[in-house]
Amino acid sequence: MIHSASNIDQGPGFYVALHRALAALFEGERDPIANTANMAALVFQEMERVSWAGFYFRRGAELVLGPFQGPPACIRIPFGEGVCGQAARSGKILRVEDVQAFPGHIACDPRARSELVIPLSVAGSVVGVFDLDSHVPGRFHESDEDGLATCVRLLEGAVDWPESRP
Ligand code: SME
């Protein structure tokens, strides 16, 4: 575990330590599957009250499940649908305090209550999303948006994306 300060739970240094740990994992490796798998594992391991962390990648008109940690999840999400599809279509971070009150939310896990989705962009195009779920309503805050968006920027620069497809 990262022994440093944290997000909400552990103090303000949490994301600094997470970014350092992520950069160390990416060091010397540019494979998209390897680096997205390790990023999902690191974030899931280090963040409290997160029930699922992982990737969906754009495949034409759909998002398709990629490396993740947590229970088995929905495999295909139409682009523009659900929290993930809406974030992918807009290219903007989507933070949902209560997924039960979010029109179009796709419930892979009936216990999921809050969600944070960060689009992944390569050469100006959205190629996928990084998605986090929690069983706790309102789990994610603006500080998580900022901290995890930096993780996604590190990933975007640490991978050779084949034809914009991982
Ligand atoms: N809830 C998401 C689907 C993906 S899972 O949470 C892993 C959505 O509405 O897009």
Side-chain angles (χ1 to χ4, degrees), residues 27-85:
E27 181 84 40
E29 181 55 67
R30 296 195 59 83
D31 183 86
I33 294 174
N35 283 353
T36 53
N38 259 342
M39 179 165 151
L42 180 74
V43 168
F44 187 76
Q45 173 182 268
E46 299 300 337
M47 289 189 72
E48 293 178 10
R49 295 173 289 133
V50 167
S51 56
W52 198 92
F55 292 88
Y56 283 89
F57 295 118
R58 186 170 190 180
R59 297 282 184 265
E62 292 181 313
L63 294 172
V64 180
L65 185 63
F68 70 93
Q69 296 276 310
C74 313
I75 298 170
R76 290 176 186 270
I77 297 173
F79 200 74
E81 293 188 16
V83 184
C84 290

Short mmCIF file of all heavy atoms in Angstrom, two decimals, residues 27-85:
data_model
loop_
_atom_site.label_atom_id
_atom_site.label_comp_id
_atom_site.label_asym_id
_atom_site.label_seq_id
_atom_site.Cartn_x
_atom_site.Cartn_y
_atom_site.Cartn_z
N GLU A 27 7.20 2.52 -16.22
CA GLU A 27 8.61 2.68 -16.61
C GLU A 27 9.08 1.50 -17.46
O GLU A 27 8.98 0.34 -17.04
CB GLU A 27 9.45 2.76 -15.33
CG GLU A 27 10.93 2.95 -15.53
CD GLU A 27 11.28 4.43 -15.71
OE1 GLU A 27 10.68 5.26 -15.00
OE2 GLU A 27 12.15 4.72 -16.56
N GLY A 28 9.55 1.77 -18.68
CA GLY A 28 10.11 0.72 -19.53
C GLY A 28 9.08 -0.16 -20.21
O GLY A 28 9.44 -1.17 -20.82
N GLU A 29 7.79 0.19 -20.12
CA GLU A 29 6.75 -0.65 -20.73
C GLU A 29 5.74 0.24 -21.45
O GLU A 29 5.26 1.20 -20.86
CB GLU A 29 6.03 -1.48 -19.65
CG GLU A 29 4.95 -2.39 -20.21
CD GLU A 29 5.50 -3.31 -21.28
OE1 GLU A 29 6.32 -4.17 -20.96
OE2 GLU A 29 5.12 -3.15 -22.47
N ARG A 30 5.42 -0.07 -22.71
CA ARG A 30 4.48 0.75 -23.46
C ARG A 30 3.33 -0.06 -24.04
O ARG A 30 2.59 0.40 -24.91
CB ARG A 30 5.22 1.51 -24.58
CG ARG A 30 6.24 2.50 -24.01
CD ARG A 30 6.73 3.50 -25.02
NE ARG A 30 5.68 4.32 -25.59
CZ ARG A 30 5.18 5.42 -25.03
NH1 ARG A 30 5.62 5.83 -23.86
NH2 ARG A 30 4.24 6.11 -25.63
N ASP A 31 3.16 -1.29 -23.54
CA ASP A 31 2.06 -2.12 -24.04
C ASP A 31 0.74 -1.68 -23.42
O ASP A 31 0.63 -1.55 -22.20
CB ASP A 31 2.32 -3.59 -23.71
CG ASP A 31 1.24 -4.47 -24.29
OD1 ASP A 31 1.38 -4.86 -25.46
OD2 ASP A 31 0.23 -4.73 -23.59
N PRO A 32 -0.32 -1.47 -24.24
CA PRO A 32 -1.58 -0.98 -23.69
C PRO A 32 -2.27 -1.94 -22.72
O PRO A 32 -2.83 -1.50 -21.72
CB PRO A 32 -2.46 -0.74 -24.93
CG PRO A 32 -1.78 -1.42 -26.06
CD PRO A 32 -0.34 -1.55 -25.71
N ILE A 33 -2.21 -3.22 -22.99
CA ILE A 33 -2.88 -4.17 -22.08
C ILE A 33 -2.12 -4.23 -20.75
O ILE A 33 -2.71 -4.16 -19.68
CB ILE A 33 -3.01 -5.57 -22.72
CG1 ILE A 33 -3.95 -5.50 -23.92
CG2 ILE A 33 -3.54 -6.58 -21.69
CD1 ILE A 33 -4.06 -6.79 -24.71
N ALA A 34 -0.79 -4.34 -20.83
CA ALA A 34 0.01 -4.41 -19.60
C ALA A 34 -0.21 -3.18 -18.73
O ALA A 34 -0.46 -3.28 -17.52
CB ALA A 34 1.49 -4.56 -19.95
N ASN A 35 -0.14 -2.00 -19.34
CA ASN A 35 -0.20 -0.77 -18.54
C ASN A 35 -1.62 -0.47 -18.04
O ASN A 35 -1.79 0.02 -16.93
CB ASN A 35 0.38 0.41 -19.32
CG ASN A 35 1.91 0.36 -19.34
OD1 ASN A 35 2.51 -0.48 -18.68
ND2 ASN A 35 2.53 1.23 -20.11
N THR A 36 -2.65 -0.78 -18.83
CA THR A 36 -4.01 -0.54 -18.33
C THR A 36 -4.34 -1.57 -17.23
O THR A 36 -5.01 -1.24 -16.25
CB THR A 36 -5.07 -0.59 -19.45
OG1 THR A 36 -4.95 -1.81 -20.19
CG2 THR A 36 -4.92 0.59 -20.39
N ALA A 37 -3.86 -2.80 -17.38
CA ALA A 37 -4.10 -3.83 -16.35
C ALA A 37 -3.46 -3.41 -15.03
O ALA A 37 -4.08 -3.49 -13.96
CB ALA A 37 -3.58 -5.19 -16.81
N ASN A 38 -2.22 -2.96 -15.09
CA ASN A 38 -1.54 -2.56 -13.85
C ASN A 38 -2.15 -1.30 -13.25
O ASN A 38 -2.23 -1.16 -12.03
CB ASN A 38 -0.04 -2.35 -14.11
CG ASN A 38 0.77 -3.54 -13.64
OD1 ASN A 38 0.30 -4.36 -12.85
ND2 ASN A 38 1.99 -3.64 -14.12
N MET A 39 -2.62 -0.39 -14.09
CA MET A 39 -3.25 0.82 -13.55
C MET A 39 -4.55 0.47 -12.83
O MET A 39 -4.83 0.98 -11.74
CB MET A 39 -3.53 1.83 -14.67
CG MET A 39 -4.21 3.09 -14.20
SD MET A 39 -4.10 4.37 -15.47
CE MET A 39 -5.60 5.29 -15.13
N ALA A 40 -5.36 -0.41 -13.42
CA ALA A 40 -6.60 -0.83 -12.75
C ALA A 40 -6.28 -1.50 -11.41
O ALA A 40 -6.93 -1.23 -10.39
CB ALA A 40 -7.39 -1.78 -13.66
N ALA A 41 -5.26 -2.34 -11.41
CA ALA A 41 -4.89 -3.06 -10.17
C ALA A 41 -4.40 -2.10 -9.11
O ALA A 41 -4.78 -2.20 -7.93
CB ALA A 41 -3.82 -4.10 -10.49
N LEU A 42 -3.56 -1.14 -9.50
CA LEU A 42 -3.00 -0.20 -8.52
C LEU A 42 -4.11 0.66 -7.91
O LEU A 42 -4.20 0.82 -6.69
CB LEU A 42 -1.95 0.70 -9.19
CG LEU A 42 -1.32 1.72 -8.25
CD1 LEU A 42 -0.34 1.05 -7.28
CD2 LEU A 42 -0.59 2.82 -9.02
N VAL A 43 -4.95 1.22 -8.77
CA VAL A 43 -6.01 2.12 -8.26
C VAL A 43 -6.98 1.34 -7.37
O VAL A 43 -7.36 1.81 -6.29
CB VAL A 43 -6.74 2.80 -9.45
CG1 VAL A 43 -8.00 3.50 -8.99
CG2 VAL A 43 -5.80 3.79 -10.14
N PHE A 44 -7.33 0.14 -7.79
CA PHE A 44 -8.27 -0.67 -7.00
C PHE A 44 -7.66 -1.04 -5.64
O PHE A 44 -8.32 -1.02 -4.61
CB PHE A 44 -8.64 -1.92 -7.78
CG PHE A 44 -9.71 -2.75 -7.14
CD1 PHE A 44 -11.05 -2.36 -7.19
CD2 PHE A 44 -9.41 -3.94 -6.49
CE1 PHE A 44 -12.05 -3.12 -6.60
CE2 PHE A 44 -10.40 -4.71 -5.90
CZ PHE A 44 -11.73 -4.30 -5.96
N GLN A 45 -6.37 -1.34 -5.67
CA GLN A 45 -5.69 -1.73 -4.42
C GLN A 45 -5.57 -0.56 -3.46
O GLN A 45 -5.70 -0.72 -2.24
CB GLN A 45 -4.29 -2.24 -4.77
CG GLN A 45 -3.39 -2.53 -3.58
CD GLN A 45 -2.02 -2.98 -4.03
OE1 GLN A 45 -1.75 -4.16 -4.17
NE2 GLN A 45 -1.15 -2.03 -4.29
N GLU A 46 -5.31 0.62 -4.00
CA GLU A 46 -4.97 1.76 -3.14
C GLU A 46 -6.16 2.59 -2.70
O GLU A 46 -6.08 3.28 -1.69
CB GLU A 46 -3.95 2.66 -3.84
CG GLU A 46 -2.63 1.98 -4.16
CD GLU A 46 -1.92 1.47 -2.92
OE1 GLU A 46 -2.18 1.98 -1.82
OE2 GLU A 46 -1.12 0.53 -3.06
N MET A 47 -7.26 2.56 -3.44
CA MET A 47 -8.37 3.46 -3.10
C MET A 47 -9.41 2.74 -2.26
O MET A 47 -9.90 1.68 -2.65
CB MET A 47 -9.01 4.03 -4.37
CG MET A 47 -8.09 5.03 -5.06
SD MET A 47 -8.91 5.93 -6.40
CE MET A 47 -10.00 7.01 -5.49
N GLU A 48 -9.73 3.35 -1.17
CA GLU A 48 -10.74 2.76 -0.28
C GLU A 48 -12.14 3.02 -0.83
O GLU A 48 -12.38 4.01 -1.50
CB GLU A 48 -10.61 3.37 1.11
CG GLU A 48 -9.30 2.97 1.78
CD GLU A 48 -9.11 3.61 3.14
OE1 GLU A 48 -10.07 4.20 3.66
OE2 GLU A 48 -8.00 3.51 3.66
N ARG A 49 -13.03 2.09 -0.50
CA ARG A 49 -14.44 2.21 -0.88
C ARG A 49 -14.64 2.31 -2.39
O ARG A 49 -15.54 3.00 -2.87
CB ARG A 49 -15.08 3.41 -0.15
CG ARG A 49 -15.12 3.19 1.38
CD ARG A 49 -15.59 4.40 2.14
NE ARG A 49 -14.60 5.44 2.10
CZ ARG A 49 -14.85 6.71 1.83
NH1 ARG A 49 -16.07 7.10 1.59
NH2 ARG A 49 -13.89 7.59 1.82
N VAL A 50 -13.78 1.61 -3.12
CA VAL A 50 -13.97 1.48 -4.57
C VAL A 50 -14.29 0.02 -4.85
O VAL A 50 -13.56 -0.88 -4.42
CB VAL A 50 -12.70 1.94 -5.34
CG1 VAL A 50 -12.75 1.52 -6.80
CG2 VAL A 50 -12.55 3.46 -5.23
N SER A 51 -15.40 -0.24 -5.54
CA SER A 51 -15.85 -1.62 -5.76
C SER A 51 -15.45 -2.16 -7.13
O SER A 51 -15.50 -3.37 -7.37
CB SER A 51 -17.37 -1.70 -5.61
OG SER A 51 -18.00 -0.80 -6.49
N TRP A 52 -15.07 -1.26 -8.03
CA TRP A 52 -14.68 -1.66 -9.40
C TRP A 52 -13.84 -0.56 -10.00
O TRP A 52 -14.16 0.63 -9.84
CB TRP A 52 -15.95 -1.86 -10.25
CG TRP A 52 -15.77 -2.65 -11.50
CD1 TRP A 52 -15.94 -4.00 -11.64
CD2 TRP A 52 -15.41 -2.16 -12.81
NE1 TRP A 52 -15.69 -4.38 -12.94
CE2 TRP A 52 -15.37 -3.26 -13.68
CE3 TRP A 52 -15.12 -0.90 -13.32
CZ2 TRP A 52 -15.06 -3.16 -15.04
CZ3 TRP A 52 -14.79 -0.78 -14.68
CH2 TRP A 52 -14.77 -1.91 -15.52
N ALA A 53 -12.76 -0.95 -10.68
CA ALA A 53 -11.93 0.03 -11.37
C ALA A 53 -11.42 -0.61 -12.65
O ALA A 53 -10.82 -1.70 -12.60
CB ALA A 53 -10.75 0.47 -10.50
N GLY A 54 -11.68 0.03 -13.79
CA GLY A 54 -11.19 -0.58 -15.02
C GLY A 54 -11.51 0.22 -16.25
O GLY A 54 -11.98 1.35 -16.19
N PHE A 55 -11.25 -0.42 -17.38
CA PHE A 55 -11.29 0.27 -18.68
C PHE A 55 -12.37 -0.31 -19.59
O PHE A 55 -12.66 -1.51 -19.56
CB PHE A 55 -9.93 0.13 -19.37
CG PHE A 55 -8.85 0.88 -18.65
CD1 PHE A 55 -8.13 0.28 -17.62
CD2 PHE A 55 -8.57 2.20 -18.97
CE1 PHE A 55 -7.14 0.98 -16.94
CE2 PHE A 55 -7.59 2.91 -18.29
CZ PHE A 55 -6.87 2.30 -17.28
N TYR A 56 -12.93 0.58 -20.39
CA TYR A 56 -13.68 0.20 -21.58
C TYR A 56 -13.00 0.87 -22.76
O TYR A 56 -12.59 2.04 -22.66
CB TYR A 56 -15.14 0.67 -21.49
CG TYR A 56 -16.00 -0.19 -20.59
CD1 TYR A 56 -16.11 0.08 -19.23
CD2 TYR A 56 -16.69 -1.29 -21.10
CE1 TYR A 56 -16.89 -0.71 -18.41
CE2 TYR A 56 -17.47 -2.09 -20.28
CZ TYR A 56 -17.57 -1.79 -18.93
OH TYR A 56 -18.34 -2.59 -18.12
N PHE A 57 -12.88 0.14 -23.88
CA PHE A 57 -12.24 0.70 -25.07
C PHE A 57 -13.24 0.81 -26.21
O PHE A 57 -14.11 -0.05 -26.39
CB PHE A 57 -11.07 -0.19 -25.51
CG PHE A 57 -9.96 -0.22 -24.49
CD1 PHE A 57 -9.60 -1.40 -23.87
CD2 PHE A 57 -9.29 0.95 -24.13
CE1 PHE A 57 -8.59 -1.43 -22.92
CE2 PHE A 57 -8.27 0.94 -23.19
CZ PHE A 57 -7.92 -0.26 -22.58
N ARG A 58 -13.08 1.88 -26.98
CA ARG A 58 -14.01 2.11 -28.09
C ARG A 58 -13.75 1.12 -29.22
O ARG A 58 -12.61 0.94 -29.68
CB ARG A 58 -13.84 3.53 -28.61
CG ARG A 58 -14.89 3.84 -29.64
CD ARG A 58 -14.93 5.29 -30.02
NE ARG A 58 -16.12 5.52 -30.84
CZ ARG A 58 -16.46 6.67 -31.35
NH1 ARG A 58 -15.73 7.73 -31.11
NH2 ARG A 58 -17.54 6.79 -32.09
N ARG A 59 -14.82 0.48 -29.65
CA ARG A 59 -14.77 -0.41 -30.81
C ARG A 59 -15.93 -0.02 -31.69
O ARG A 59 -17.05 -0.52 -31.52
CB ARG A 59 -14.94 -1.88 -30.38
CG ARG A 59 -13.85 -2.40 -29.47
CD ARG A 59 -12.60 -2.74 -30.27
NE ARG A 59 -11.56 -3.33 -29.42
CZ ARG A 59 -10.58 -2.65 -28.86
NH1 ARG A 59 -10.49 -1.35 -29.03
NH2 ARG A 59 -9.68 -3.26 -28.14
N GLY A 60 -15.70 0.92 -32.59
CA GLY A 60 -16.77 1.39 -33.46
C GLY A 60 -17.85 2.07 -32.65
O GLY A 60 -17.60 3.06 -31.96
N ALA A 61 -19.07 1.53 -32.71
CA ALA A 61 -20.22 2.15 -32.05
C ALA A 61 -20.41 1.66 -30.62
O ALA A 61 -21.44 1.92 -30.00
CB ALA A 61 -21.48 1.88 -32.86
N GLU A 62 -19.43 0.92 -30.12
CA GLU A 62 -19.57 0.36 -28.76
C GLU A 62 -18.31 0.64 -27.94
O GLU A 62 -17.24 0.88 -28.49
CB GLU A 62 -19.74 -1.16 -28.84
CG GLU A 62 -21.05 -1.61 -29.44
CD GLU A 62 -21.14 -3.13 -29.46
OE1 GLU A 62 -20.18 -3.79 -29.88
OE2 GLU A 62 -22.19 -3.64 -29.06
N LEU A 63 -18.50 0.52 -26.62
CA LEU A 63 -17.36 0.41 -25.72
C LEU A 63 -17.30 -1.06 -25.31
O LEU A 63 -18.34 -1.66 -24.98
CB LEU A 63 -17.57 1.28 -24.47
CG LEU A 63 -17.59 2.80 -24.69
CD1 LEU A 63 -18.01 3.50 -23.40
CD2 LEU A 63 -16.24 3.31 -25.16
N VAL A 64 -16.10 -1.62 -25.30
CA VAL A 64 -15.93 -3.03 -24.94
C VAL A 64 -15.03 -3.12 -23.71
O VAL A 64 -14.03 -2.40 -23.60
CB VAL A 64 -15.34 -3.84 -26.12
CG1 VAL A 64 -15.16 -5.30 -25.74
CG2 VAL A 64 -16.25 -3.73 -27.34
N LEU A 65 -15.39 -4.00 -22.81
CA LEU A 65 -14.68 -4.19 -21.55
C LEU A 65 -13.20 -4.48 -21.75
O LEU A 65 -12.83 -5.29 -22.61
CB LEU A 65 -15.34 -5.34 -20.79
CG LEU A 65 -14.83 -5.65 -19.39
CD1 LEU A 65 -15.08 -4.48 -18.44
CD2 LEU A 65 -15.52 -6.92 -18.85
N GLY A 66 -12.37 -3.82 -20.96
CA GLY A 66 -10.92 -4.04 -20.98
C GLY A 66 -10.45 -4.50 -19.61
O GLY A 66 -11.26 -4.97 -18.79
N PRO A 67 -9.16 -4.35 -19.33
CA PRO A 67 -8.63 -4.77 -18.03
C PRO A 67 -9.33 -4.06 -16.87
O PRO A 67 -9.60 -2.86 -16.94
CB PRO A 67 -7.16 -4.37 -18.10
CG PRO A 67 -6.84 -4.40 -19.56
CD PRO A 67 -8.09 -3.89 -20.23
N PHE A 68 -9.62 -4.82 -15.82
CA PHE A 68 -10.31 -4.24 -14.66
C PHE A 68 -10.03 -5.06 -13.42
O PHE A 68 -9.51 -6.17 -13.51
CB PHE A 68 -11.83 -4.16 -14.91
CG PHE A 68 -12.51 -5.50 -14.93
CD1 PHE A 68 -13.08 -6.02 -13.76
CD2 PHE A 68 -12.58 -6.26 -16.08
CE1 PHE A 68 -13.71 -7.27 -13.77
CE2 PHE A 68 -13.20 -7.50 -16.10
CZ PHE A 68 -13.76 -8.01 -14.93
N GLN A 69 -10.43 -4.49 -12.27
CA GLN A 69 -10.43 -5.21 -10.99
C GLN A 69 -11.81 -5.04 -10.39
O GLN A 69 -12.40 -3.95 -10.46
CB GLN A 69 -9.40 -4.61 -10.04
CG GLN A 69 -7.97 -4.74 -10.52
CD GLN A 69 -7.35 -6.07 -10.20
OE1 GLN A 69 -7.41 -6.53 -9.06
NE2 GLN A 69 -6.75 -6.72 -11.19
N GLY A 70 -12.31 -6.11 -9.79
CA GLY A 70 -13.65 -6.08 -9.22
C GLY A 70 -14.48 -7.20 -9.81
O GLY A 70 -13.96 -8.05 -10.53
N PRO A 71 -15.77 -7.21 -9.51
CA PRO A 71 -16.61 -8.29 -10.03
C PRO A 71 -16.77 -8.22 -11.54
O PRO A 71 -16.59 -7.15 -12.13
CB PRO A 71 -17.97 -8.05 -9.34
CG PRO A 71 -17.88 -6.78 -8.62
CD PRO A 71 -16.48 -6.29 -8.62
N PRO A 72 -17.11 -9.36 -12.18
CA PRO A 72 -17.35 -9.36 -13.62
C PRO A 72 -18.35 -8.27 -13.98
O PRO A 72 -19.28 -8.00 -13.22
CB PRO A 72 -17.93 -10.76 -13.89
CG PRO A 72 -17.43 -11.60 -12.78
CD PRO A 72 -17.33 -10.69 -11.58
N ALA A 73 -18.14 -7.66 -15.17
CA ALA A 73 -18.94 -6.48 -15.53
C ALA A 73 -19.58 -6.64 -16.90
O ALA A 73 -19.25 -7.56 -17.66
CB ALA A 73 -18.03 -5.26 -15.51
N CYS A 74 -20.47 -5.71 -17.23
CA CYS A 74 -21.08 -5.65 -18.56
C CYS A 74 -19.97 -5.59 -19.60
O CYS A 74 -19.00 -4.86 -19.41
CB CYS A 74 -21.92 -4.39 -18.71
SG CYS A 74 -23.00 -4.06 -17.33
N ILE A 75 -20.12 -6.33 -20.68
CA ILE A 75 -19.03 -6.43 -21.66
C ILE A 75 -19.10 -5.32 -22.71
O ILE A 75 -18.10 -4.70 -23.04
CB ILE A 75 -19.04 -7.82 -22.34
CG1 ILE A 75 -18.79 -8.88 -21.26
CG2 ILE A 75 -17.98 -7.90 -23.44
CD1 ILE A 75 -19.01 -10.30 -21.72
N ARG A 76 -20.32 -5.07 -23.23
CA ARG A 76 -20.45 -4.08 -24.31
C ARG A 76 -21.44 -2.99 -23.92
O ARG A 76 -22.54 -3.29 -23.44
CB ARG A 76 -20.91 -4.75 -25.61
CG ARG A 76 -19.83 -5.62 -26.21
CD ARG A 76 -20.28 -6.39 -27.44
NE ARG A 76 -19.21 -7.30 -27.85
CZ ARG A 76 -18.25 -6.96 -28.71
NH1 ARG A 76 -18.27 -5.78 -29.30
NH2 ARG A 76 -17.29 -7.82 -29.01
N ILE A 77 -21.05 -1.75 -24.13
CA ILE A 77 -21.89 -0.60 -23.82
C ILE A 77 -22.00 0.24 -25.09
O ILE A 77 -20.97 0.67 -25.64
CB ILE A 77 -21.27 0.26 -22.70
CG1 ILE A 77 -21.18 -0.55 -21.39
CG2 ILE A 77 -22.06 1.54 -22.49
CD1 ILE A 77 -20.43 0.15 -20.27
N PRO A 78 -23.22 0.47 -25.61
CA PRO A 78 -23.33 1.31 -26.80
C PRO A 78 -22.76 2.71 -26.54
O PRO A 78 -23.00 3.29 -25.47
CB PRO A 78 -24.85 1.38 -27.06
CG PRO A 78 -25.39 0.16 -26.37
CD PRO A 78 -24.50 -0.06 -25.17
N PHE A 79 -21.97 3.21 -27.50
CA PHE A 79 -21.37 4.54 -27.39
C PHE A 79 -22.48 5.55 -27.17
O PHE A 79 -23.47 5.56 -27.90
CB PHE A 79 -20.61 4.85 -28.68
CG PHE A 79 -19.59 5.93 -28.54
CD1 PHE A 79 -18.40 5.70 -27.88
CD2 PHE A 79 -19.82 7.19 -29.08
CE1 PHE A 79 -17.44 6.69 -27.75
CE2 PHE A 79 -18.87 8.19 -28.96
CZ PHE A 79 -17.68 7.94 -28.30
N GLY A 80 -22.38 6.36 -26.13
CA GLY A 80 -23.41 7.36 -25.84
C GLY A 80 -24.39 6.90 -24.77
O GLY A 80 -25.19 7.69 -24.29
N GLU A 81 -24.34 5.61 -24.38
CA GLU A 81 -25.27 5.12 -23.36
C GLU A 81 -24.56 4.85 -22.04
O GLU A 81 -23.36 4.58 -22.00
CB GLU A 81 -25.98 3.85 -23.85
CG GLU A 81 -26.90 4.15 -25.02
CD GLU A 81 -27.77 2.97 -25.42
OE1 GLU A 81 -27.91 2.02 -24.63
OE2 GLU A 81 -28.30 3.02 -26.53
N GLY A 82 -25.37 4.89 -20.97
CA GLY A 82 -24.81 4.67 -19.64
C GLY A 82 -23.89 5.81 -19.25
O GLY A 82 -23.67 6.75 -20.03
N VAL A 83 -23.35 5.73 -18.06
CA VAL A 83 -22.43 6.77 -17.60
C VAL A 83 -21.16 6.74 -18.46
O VAL A 83 -20.65 7.78 -18.91
CB VAL A 83 -22.10 6.58 -16.10
CG1 VAL A 83 -21.22 7.72 -15.60
CG2 VAL A 83 -23.37 6.50 -15.26
N CYS A 84 -20.68 5.51 -18.73
CA CYS A 84 -19.45 5.37 -19.52
C CYS A 84 -19.63 5.89 -20.93
O CYS A 84 -18.79 6.65 -21.45
CB CYS A 84 -19.03 3.90 -19.57
SG CYS A 84 -18.45 3.29 -18.00
N GLY A 85 -20.72 5.49 -21.58
CA GLY A 85 -20.96 5.89 -22.96
C GLY A 85 -21.19 7.38 -23.11
O GLY A 85 -20.76 7.99 -24.10
#
